[in-house]
Amino acid sequence: MLSSVAAQPGREGRRVGDGWPLVWGATSDEVTAGYPCDEVFAAPKFEAHRAISVAAPRAHVFRWLCQLKAAPYSYDLLNNLGRPSPRTLTPGLEQLKLGQRFITVFALISYVVDEHVTIRVGWLGRLMFGELAISYVVHDEGPGGSRLAVKLTLPRKRHLGLLRQWVLAWLDLFMMRRQLLNLRDLAERSR
């Protein structure tokens, strides 16, 4: 599926094009790279990739990822009960421990400071979305900049389950695109 996707240049670097809803902003290298969430489910898997460049150092972008413990940073009216996601860094959220709640319905299952956070949906999220794991990976890009790459993975289903996964991929694209744009803008403004 992704192997037929052509690479195209763009603001986000060498991006993979025509991959919606499975790919947004990710380079071909980011799509083929290994992620911590790859170990959560056995093959075959349903996967989606999102990525964005950020004009801020990796450690600062990672610190903003820790803010996902407080709020989803997407469309607050839809997924944060109308409460605005914090626009400044909240002290203490950078202190990570396995099992901590992220984005309301996820739990932290793996992390390396200044490199990645990997989360897995909890019981409430499984009721809504089914099994799901996500890795947010930050790496350096150019002097003083970084790249935030995200991979979403879940066990591949058949028939109605596969239809549900495609619907989830479109919803995730809509929500995570906004989340990544918000995190980028906040990281760039607050550095």
Side-chain angles (χ1 to χ4, degrees), residues 67-177:
Q67 288 289 121
L68 295 175
K69 290 169 44 180
Y73 285 88
S74 185
Y75 293 99
D76 288 333
L77 188 60
L78 295 176
N79 65 348
N80 203 25
L81 302 174
R83 293 183 308 257
S85 297
R87 296 305 189 220
T88 59
L89 292 171
T90 304
L93 289 184
E94 71 280 8
Q95 303 300 317
L96 300 179
K97 289 182 359 187
L98 297 180
Q100 287 176 319
R101 192 171 56 160
F102 268 70
I103 316 173
T104 309
V105 296
F106 289 86
L108 182 65
I109 61 169
S110 175
Y111 70 93
V112 173
V113 174
D114 296 341
E115 291 183 19
H116 83 87
V117 295
T118 299
I119 56 179
R120 185 174 184 173
V121 73
W123 69 269
L124 178 59
R126 279 193 300 276
L127 292 175
M128 295 184 293
F129 311 117
E131 285 288 345
L132 173 64
I134 304 171
S135 287
Y136 292 82
V137 177
V138 186
H139 60 273
D140 294 326
E141 181 183 61
S146 56
R147 187 89 171 135
L148 175 55
V150 182
K151 182 175 185 177
L152 174 144
T153 184
L154 51 154
R156 186 173 288 281
K157 303 288 185 191
R158 294 178 178 243
H159 310 299
L160 288 178
L162 183 60
L163 176 62
R164 180 180 179 188
Q165 289 177 336
W166 278 99
V167 170
L168 175 63
W170 279 105
L171 289 173
D172 176 73
L173 174 64
F174 173 71
M175 300 301 278
M176 191 172 291
R177 178 183 173 280

Side-chain angles (χ1 to χ4, degrees), residues 11-56:
R11 180 178 187 270
E12 303 307 330
R14 191 175 158 191
R15 295 187 327 181
V16 177
D18 301 327
W20 287 28
L22 298 181
V23 178
W24 176 80
T27 66
S28 55
D29 288 343
E30 289 165 337
V31 169
T32 58
Y35 290 78
C37 65
D38 291 337
E39 306 301 318
V40 176
F41 305 114
K45 295 181 269 191
F46 189 90
E47 302 173 340
H49 297 266
R50 287 79 171 89
I52 195 163
S53 293
V54 185

